[in-house]
Amino acid sequence: MSLAGKTAVITGSNSGIGLGMARRLAKEGANVVLNSYTDTDDDHALAKEISKETGTEARYIKADLSKADESRALIEQAGQVDILINNAGIQHVAPIDEFPTEKWNAIIAIMLNSAFHTTAAALPLMRKAGWGRVINVSSAHGLTASPYKSAYVAAKHGVVGMTKVVALETAEEPITANAICPGYVMTPLVESQIPDTMKKYDMDRETVIREVMLQRQPSKEFATTEQLGGVAAFLCSDDAKQITGTTISVDGGWTAL
Ligand code: NAD
């Protein structure tokens, strides 16, 4: 597969899953647009590093995706968008009767509203180019629920619903829309939580991973950002042309329970 000549915009891609997907798509030949709400030297250095490693064009565009106008401006600034990956996300955990309204609004804005705005802005560009892939990073929490994660679960279920609608609206065009639903993925953020959790429960690293972090993941293994990058690349391949409007779980069996 070669994605040469294609441009992929990956939201929330200066770390974790988004960065893994950007690296993989660049390896497959795509030009990539990295994004987050910050604008640091490190952000731009990441893009330079990917360009150097892959010989493709990698750019960093700052956009705060909690805002409708910045979500749309990201697509406008990218110019060409053949692959859109809506990945940016945040989390807040609290019982629903104590859930701060501003946290609810931020989670829905960044994970659901922004995907609406970027998709609405990118579809005309895909139609003009005659090819497109919309990939929404949902979650096992887009298919199941956990207590205390009302906004996250609502946003991730919403993303799955919107993915199906986009797929139906583009069904007769060379465009697909799908959602990837990861279980627990090893990212720098997850890694950084291990030492504190070890202290909190007085457990060794392996026990914390098996008994606390991966309690709901039957494989007892984290997915990796590289694997998620591979799934995104597959969805961009010709083999995946007839895969649209569906979810792909990468959750070690979580949603089979
Ligand atoms: P992460 O914190 O490494 O990545 C989140 C990205 O979103 C970062 O680049 C961050 O800067 C960006 N972001 C946050 N707020 C933003 C804003 N206002 N505007 C623009 N960008 C913003 O976490 P991750 O684990 O890589 O998460 C990526 C996606 O995968 C999220 O949607 C998350 O819900 C989903 N997910 C993660 C896991 C997991 O176990 N790590 C599991 C299932 C789903």
Side-chain angles (χ1 to χ4, degrees):
M1 172 182 50
S2 170
L3 295 177
K6 308 277 193 233
T7 295
V9 173
I10 304 105
T11 71
S13 48
N14 66 351
S15 74
I17 294 171
L19 181 57
M21 289 181 168
R23 285 190 192 284
R24 178 59 185 266
L25 296 186
K27 224 185 239 178
E28 301 291 345
N31 296 321
V32 295
V33 173
L34 304 182
N35 153 265
S36 181
Y37 59 93
T38 52
D39 199 9
T40 66
D41 289 348
D42 284 353
D43 293 330
H44 293 274
L46 260 181
K48 277 209 184 97
E49 183 194 311
I50 292 178
S51 282
K52 208 170 151 198
E53 274 171 18
T54 60
T56 60
E57 190 193 306
R59 287 178 285 159
Y60 179 85
I61 300 178
K62 178 213 168 223
D64 179 351
L65 300 180
S66 65
K67 302 189 168 94
D69 55 345
E70 292 198 30
S71 301
R72 288 184 186 255
L74 168 64
I75 301 302
E76 235 168 75
Q77 280 182 54
Q80 182 187 344
V81 183
D82 306 291
I83 300 161
L84 170 64
I85 303 189
N86 289 306
N87 166 76
I90 58 167
Q91 176 63 287
H92 186 79
V93 180
I96 195 158
D97 51 337
E98 292 168 18
F99 211 93
T101 302
E102 68 276 12
K103 292 284 181 198
W104 172 278
N105 289 340
I107 288 174
I108 300 294
I110 292 166
M111 303 203 305
L112 182 57
N113 296 351
S114 84
F116 158 65
H117 293 297
T118 55
T119 304
L123 275 180
L125 302 180
M126 293 179 182
R127 288 187 167 125
K128 209 166 146 199
W131 189 92
R133 293 287 188 266
V134 178
I135 300 172
N136 292 323
V137 179
S138 178
S139 166
H141 281 117
L143 303 168
T144 64
S146 294
Y148 315 125
K149 296 184 176 175
S150 53
Y152 188 87
V153 169
K156 293 301 194 186
H157 274 70
V159 160
V160 169
M162 193 182 68
T163 304
K164 293 178 186 176
V165 174
V166 174
L168 292 179
E169 290 184 12
T170 57
E172 293 187 34
E173 303 174 74
I175 295 171
T176 68
N178 292 289
I180 299 177
C181 295
Y184 287 106
V185 183
M186 182 48 89
T187 61
L189 198 76
V190 172
E191 176 66 53
S192 72
Q193 290 165 3
I194 295 177
D196 277 353
T197 318
M198 285 167 64
K199 265 190 224 147
K200 186 174 165 194
Y201 292 103
D202 192 23
M203 287 175 174
D204 63 21
R205 184 184 162 88
E206 287 317 306
T207 314
V208 158
I209 289 175
R210 274 189 77 83
E211 307 298 332
V212 182
M213 302 183 107
L214 296 180
Q215 194 201 353
R216 293 183 73 179
Q217 194 141 306
S219 66
K220 302 294 176 197
E221 269 184 41
F222 286 101
T224 66
T225 58
E226 289 79 8
Q227 289 161 356
L228 269 303
V231 176
F234 168 66
L235 285 173
C236 294
S237 72
D238 284 343
D239 289 334
K241 210 173 165 190
Q242 287 303 315
I243 300 177
T244 194
T246 193
T247 56
I248 299 190
S249 290
V250 186
D251 66 4
W254 175 344
T255 44
L257 279 173

